[in-house]
């Protein structure tokens, strides 16, 4: 239910669009003030609200996940973040918090990235860590173990 002092919008937008800034600027353009009382994201990339499941429900059925169709691998969530493929030895080093040297080919591939831009390290389809590239090294910021994903 919307009162006389409220408006409702359905906005389709891309990455980097700030809804709260839009609401502020829209109110200012109308010569007034405003704020958001509710915000609901219905879709992000390939993920849609109608195909989602509540976290509590997912945790209750997690033991059945291998038999349920429609689950995406966790790396799908990171499809807009550059990925660095690491071997088993590098994966072990990263999991111990160590930085790893990036080979010549990978260094050329990532040379165009801003040094503050986040990248993720993966081994096969397993996410190993989120981190940054600096001076020819991948420096892990957040390391993931399989236990992080199974709880």
């Amino acid at each position: 239910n919307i009162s006389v002092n409220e408006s409702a919008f359905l906005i389709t937008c891309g990455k980097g669009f700030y809804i709260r800034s839009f609401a502020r600027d829209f109110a200012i353009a109308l010569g007034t003030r405003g704020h958001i009382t509710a915000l609901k994201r219905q879709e992000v990339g390939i993920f849609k609200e109608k195909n989602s499941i509540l976290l509590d429900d997912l945790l209750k059925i997690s033991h059945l996940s291998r038999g349920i169709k429609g689950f995406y691998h966790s790396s799908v969530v990171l499809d807009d973040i550059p990925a660095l493929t690491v071997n088993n030895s590098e994966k072990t080093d990263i999991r111990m918090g160590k930085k790893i040297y990036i080979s010549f080919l990978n260094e050329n591939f990532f040379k165009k990235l801003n040094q503050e831009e986040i990248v993720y390290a993966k081994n096969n389809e397993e996410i190993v860590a989120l981190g940054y590239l600096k001076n020819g090294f991948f420096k892990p910021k957040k390391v993931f173990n399989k236990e992080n994903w199974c709880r």
Side-chain angles (χ1 to χ4, degrees):
N1 295 336
I2 297 174
S3 75
V4 80
N5 293 327
E6 294 178 325
S7 297
F9 295 91
L10 177 62
I11 297 175
T12 302
C13 59
K15 183 171 130 180
F17 185 84
Y18 295 94
I19 295 292
R20 288 179 178 85
S21 297
F22 167 78
R24 178 202 62 218
D25 296 346
F26 187 70
I28 290 170
L30 293 173
T32 187
R33 298 283 183 226
H35 65 276
I36 294 177
T37 57
L39 177 61
K40 183 177 183 181
R41 182 169 287 157
Q42 296 177 309
E43 180 178 324
V44 177
I46 62 172
F47 302 101
K48 315 241 184 287
E49 181 184 22
K50 66 181 179 180
N51 298 335
S52 66
I53 185 168
L54 294 173
L55 181 58
D56 288 343
D57 293 339
L58 180 61
L59 292 172
K60 289 176 189 172
I61 63 167
S62 64
H63 66 284
L64 302 173
S65 64
R66 293 208 187 278
I68 300 174
K69 294 182 180 178
F71 278 87
Y72 291 101
H73 193 279
S74 52
S75 62
V76 172
V77 178
L78 304 174
D79 68 346
D80 61 339
I81 298 174
L84 172 67
T85 301
V86 297
N87 62 35
N88 288 334
S89 173
E90 292 168 327
K91 176 174 89 169
T92 300
D93 286 346
I94 290 170
R95 289 227 164 111
M96 293 191 312
K98 296 179 182 177
K99 64 183 180 181
I100 62 163
Y101 178 71
I102 301 167
S103 71
F104 179 72
L105 290 175
N106 285 334
E107 189 175 341
N108 276 340
F109 181 74
F110 287 106
K111 193 180 279 187
K112 63 184 173 222
L113 289 176
N114 177 327
Q115 291 199 8
E116 296 299 316
E117 188 171 357
I118 197 159
V119 298
Y120 74 96
K122 68 177 187 169
N123 178 269
N124 296 316
E125 291 302 314
E126 180 185 358
I127 299 169
V128 178
L130 294 171
Y132 300 91
L133 300 173
K134 190 168 184 181
N135 301 325
F137 287 88
F138 171 78
K139 293 185 171 190
K141 181 80 173 168
K142 172 64 178 167
V143 176
F144 300 101
N145 292 312
K146 286 199 175 210
E147 294 80 35
N148 295 118
W149 300 104
C150 297
R151 290 185 201 174

